[in-house]
Amino acid sequence: MLPINAPAPAFALPDQNGAIHTLSEYAGRKLILYFYPKDMTPGCTKQAVGFAELNSQFEALGVTVVGVSKDSVASHKKFEEKYALPFTILSDVDKTCIEAYDVWKEKKNYGKISMGVVRTTYLIDENGVIIYASDKVKAAENPGKMLEMVRN
């Protein structure tokens, strides 16, 4: 996980519609950049739906929500359509952004060790500086906790 007060690494990734997004396009707004393991899985769905339900409140506060996983553009499109997700989901199949944000880690699941995306949420300020980071994210609670944080 990257430290607080570090500059957020630049990225250029396609969204669920194939359009390229960069970190610089969010300058002047706060950005919640959340990394999740996989589309359509129970935890990732709870997290995405939670952000979707609160999206208008984030937008009213000048905060943009963007999700990132290593799933394909096509997978993201299905995820967006199935759950009516109103925010951008970036596809990082090469893991360049995932690795730059230090969320590709060794994980243990039922005693098996493998590499994967550790669910991590960053809050980036208007100038591209990380002002909050957590890799101890509970999927269902994350959207509400982030809303509380940006309100304070």
Side-chain angles (χ1 to χ4, degrees):
M1 188 173 64
L2 300 177
I4 306 299
N5 296 321
F11 58 80
L13 296 171
D15 69 10
Q16 64 267 38
N17 300 307
I20 301 295
H21 292 268
T22 63
L23 177 64
S24 61
E25 78 184 63
Y26 300 103
R29 291 179 64 87
K30 284 192 170 83
L31 173 65
I32 291 173
L33 192 64
Y34 82 94
F35 293 85
Y36 65 97
K38 189 150 182 58
D39 292 342
M40 306 290 187
T41 57
C44 297
T45 299
K46 283 180 188 159
Q47 187 177 24
V49 168
F51 275 121
E53 289 170 351
L54 300 176
N55 194 61
S56 62
Q57 293 178 61
F58 283 114
E59 288 292 325
L61 294 165
V63 179
T64 301
V65 174
V66 174
V68 183
S69 86
K70 64 182 187 64
D71 292 310
S72 68
V73 168
S75 175
H76 282 348
K77 189 65 182 169
K78 288 177 190 163
F79 194 39
E80 172 204 36
E81 290 174 347
K82 183 169 183 176
Y83 295 102
L85 302 178
F87 53 86
T88 299
I89 313 167
L90 299 177
S91 173
D92 188 13
V93 293
D94 297 331
K95 302 189 296 289
T96 53
C97 182
I98 286 167
E99 289 176 350
Y101 279 81
D102 196 29
V103 298
W104 187 253
K105 303 273 189 184
E106 192 175 88
K107 297 166 71 171
K108 289 181 184 164
N109 195 12
Y110 301 109
K112 184 180 172 220
I113 297 173
S114 63
M115 294 298 288
V117 172
V118 173
R119 191 180 311 277
T120 304
T121 302
Y122 287 98
L123 179 60
I124 301 166
D125 75 7
E126 298 84 351
N127 301 309
V129 175
I130 296 167
I131 56 174
Y132 171 82
S134 177
D135 60 1
K136 305 283 188 254
V137 174
K138 290 193 167 101
E141 297 171 9
N142 185 230
K145 286 189 173 184
M146 292 307 297
L147 185 60
E148 274 181 44
M149 177 176 295
V150 296
R151 278 188 174 145
N152 296 332

